[in-house]
Amino acid sequence: TYGVYRIAPDVSSDELFHQSEEALLFCMAAEPLSVDVNGQTYPMAHYDTLYIPMGTSYRIHNGTGEIGSLVVCRAPAENRHPVFHAVWSEVCNNEARIRHLDGKDVFLMFDVSEGADKLMAGYTIYEPHTRAWPPHNHTDQEEIYLFTQGRGSIEVYADEKSKTFVHGMETMDAA
């Protein structure tokens, strides 16, 4: 599932909890937020990512004067894994977590080397007028595409013979 938490200025959320799902939080706020998990506070600046294990409660704090925004993606899980916090300002400068591909760079925020049942996360930054090619799928992970900036199109289909979904996408649209 995909959703967006919008937290009013100078407010903390109620306790949030996903009994049988793991979650990834992506900070889309211009001003930093924070998330408390198991008594530890994780600062969340723009593009930072936080993995929340299944059955783990958390609370979001917005100490700024602006509405805060965190994207949440969840998937069914059977195992508990450690909390994992990826800081964009570190990942975007760490060549070990960047894949330079034809027409795009992929920043591995939460990759297969981190523990999770179905979730992984990265930011793919495309050069203008490029596309993802060849088509691909991930049968062992859940996949959500979120356009954080700009616009484009996305083609979603179960197999080559049943191409039915082509969507125009704008900033903060998800498929």
Side-chain angles (χ1 to χ4, degrees), residues 44-89:
M44 298 287 289
H46 190 68
Y47 281 1
D48 288 359
T49 303
L50 184 64
Y51 172 79
I52 308 289
M54 66 177 265
T56 303
S57 64
Y58 59 99
R59 188 179 305 267
I60 303 167
H61 304 283
N62 180 1
T64 75
E66 298 181 19
I67 294 175
S69 179
L70 284 178
V71 167
V72 58
C73 296
R74 302 184 336 237
E78 295 178 10
N79 303 294
R80 290 195 66 180
H81 302 278
V83 172
F84 184 85
H85 184 218
V87 177
W88 170 249
S89 63

Side-chain angles (χ1 to χ4, degrees), residues 19-163:
Q19 180 65 37
S20 58
E21 295 176 311
E22 56 192 1
L24 276 167
L25 303 178
F26 302 87
C27 186
M28 295 293 130
E31 297 293 323
L33 306 172
S34 64
V35 179
D36 289 345
V37 183
N38 295 331
Q40 183 166 351
T41 300
Y42 296 90
M44 298 287 289
H46 190 68
Y47 281 1
D48 288 359
T49 303
L50 184 64
Y51 172 79
I52 308 289
M54 66 177 265
T56 303
S57 64
Y58 59 99
R59 188 179 305 267
I60 303 167
H61 304 283
N62 180 1
T64 75
E66 298 181 19
I67 294 175
S69 179
L70 284 178
V71 167
V72 58
C73 296
R74 302 184 336 237
E78 295 178 10
N79 303 294
R80 290 195 66 180
H81 302 278
V83 172
F84 184 85
H85 184 218
V87 177
W88 170 249
S89 63
E90 296 171 6
V91 171
C92 73
N93 292 303
N94 180 351
E95 286 297 323
R97 295 190 77 88
I98 303 171
R99 302 292 176 264
H100 301 285
L101 304 173
D102 189 28
K104 63 187 171 197
D105 291 328
V106 179
F107 298 86
L108 306 174
M109 299 301 289
F110 185 75
D111 200 32
V112 294
S113 60
E114 280 78 51
D117 279 14
K118 293 192 179 260
L119 294 174
M120 55 188 283
Y123 292 111
T124 302
I125 300 176
Y126 288 89
E127 294 174 11
H129 310 291
T130 58
R131 65 183 186 157
W133 190 260
H136 66 283
N137 65 23
H138 303 281
T139 57
D140 57 339
Q141 279 114 10
E142 301 291 325
E143 186 167 25
I144 296 173
Y145 287 93
L146 170 65
F147 278 60
T148 61
Q149 293 182 30
R151 60 189 174 93
S153 297
I154 189 168
E155 194 172 52
V156 182
Y157 51 91
D159 57 55
E160 195 66 30
K161 293 179 183 178
S162 63
K163 289 185 178 183

